[in-house]
Every structure is written in structure tokens, then in C-alpha cells.
Amino acid sequence: YTPNYQPTVYKSAPGVVETLIGSTLYDNQSNASVANRIYAFPDGTVAATWIFGLANPNFADRGTAYNYYDGTSWGDEPAARIENTRVGWGCYTPVGDGELVVAHNGASALVVSRRATRGSGAWTYSQIVGPSVSGSTALLWPRVTASGNTEHVIACTD
């Protein structure tokens, strides 16, 4: 199998300047429902995420890619996912001065990646394990939002 893909697609209006902020070969970005992936802050900064994956065909490196616009320029194109394990379909939200990404690992839990300062610093990780339903505690397809420092996560059981 040889994938047929377009590495860069430009579809903006004439005169609009576009910037490549990252790459992926993983082409199932939505799985029929797009989560929060981009956040434009009132100060003109922007956080953007997408499903990362370059190790085709099985995508052992799949996870959440992240880039940040500091008001002047975007960061370097990410070379790896932000998580420390394979995940999919991350959902982004700011929390206070920091940020949060929740994704599922498809097997047992949601993987929560967080950092205290948006745009910089190390990510820390935790998990949310779901209730036991028919012997499984897996949660899938998370959506996350926050109000101040209160976080709200919704997910499906498998």
C-alpha cells in the first residue's frame, strides 16, 4: 500500500498568507466528529492541535500534535506527539493560565496532558478511568472544556 496524499493543500482566499504549522500522515482527523482543536486567545495568541502520526501504516507514534502562535510567529513544527503514550482524538481547552488536552488510549482510560503555562513548559500526564461497564472501564471520544479552573470532560464508554 502506497498512500496517495497531498502534503500541503492551500485553499484560502487570494492575498491570505498561510503558514504551515505542522504535519501528519494520519488522515482520520475527525472520525465523524471534530473536537476542540484550536483556541484563539483574546491577546492574539493561538494554540492549535491535531492528530499526529508519521509512522505509516500502523502509526505507533499517533497522538496529539501541538503548536502555539505567540502573537508574532508560530513555534517550530512538532516532531512528536505531546503524550507519553499512543492516543487518539485529543481535545484541547485552556485552563486558567495553562492548558489541557484529553485523548483516549482506546484500551483503558483517557490520557490527560496538562501544563501550567500555555505555549511553554513540560506536559504532565494523568489518566481518567471510566466506570466498569460489562467488565470494561475504557472511555472513548472525549470532549473537554473549562470555565476558569473548573474542567468538564465528557466521554463515551466502550
Side-chain angles (χ1 to χ4, degrees):
Y1 170 73
T2 302
N4 181 11
Y5 65 92
Q6 180 72 307
T8 306
V9 178
Y10 295 99
K11 293 186 178 185
S12 63
V16 173
V17 176
E18 295 187 357
T19 302
L20 179 66
I21 64 169
S23 300
T24 188
L25 295 178
Y26 196 84
D27 64 356
N28 188 4
Q29 291 292 310
S30 69
N31 208 30
S33 178
V34 177
N36 298 337
R37 300 260 177 89
I38 300 172
Y39 193 92
F41 294 91
D43 65 0
T45 60
V46 179
T49 64
W50 62 95
I51 300 175
F52 179 85
L54 297 178
N56 195 12
N58 297 324
F59 298 100
D61 62 339
R62 190 182 75 194
T64 305
Y66 174 93
N67 205 336
Y68 184 74
Y69 179 76
D70 65 8
T72 303
S73 61
W74 286 94
D76 293 336
E77 184 175 340
R81 63 185 176 221
I82 64 170
E83 297 88 1
N84 59 358
T85 188
R86 185 179 191 265
V87 298
W89 295 275
C91 189
Y92 175 89
T93 193
V95 178
D97 293 332
E99 51 197 349
L100 178 73
V101 174
V102 180
H104 74 241
N105 66 14
S108 61
L110 299 179
V111 175
V112 179
S113 304
R114 119 182 14 253
R115 62 181 173 186
T117 304
R118 66 178 141 113
S120 66
W123 294 92
T124 61
Y125 310 104
S126 60
Q127 291 191 346
I128 300 172
V129 177
S132 180
V133 177
S134 301
S136 174
T137 58
L139 294 173
L140 303 170
W141 319 119
R143 300 296 181 260
V144 62
T145 192
S147 177
N149 289 316
T150 303
E151 302 161 6
H152 306 273
V153 179
I154 298 172
C156 300
T157 59
D158 71 343

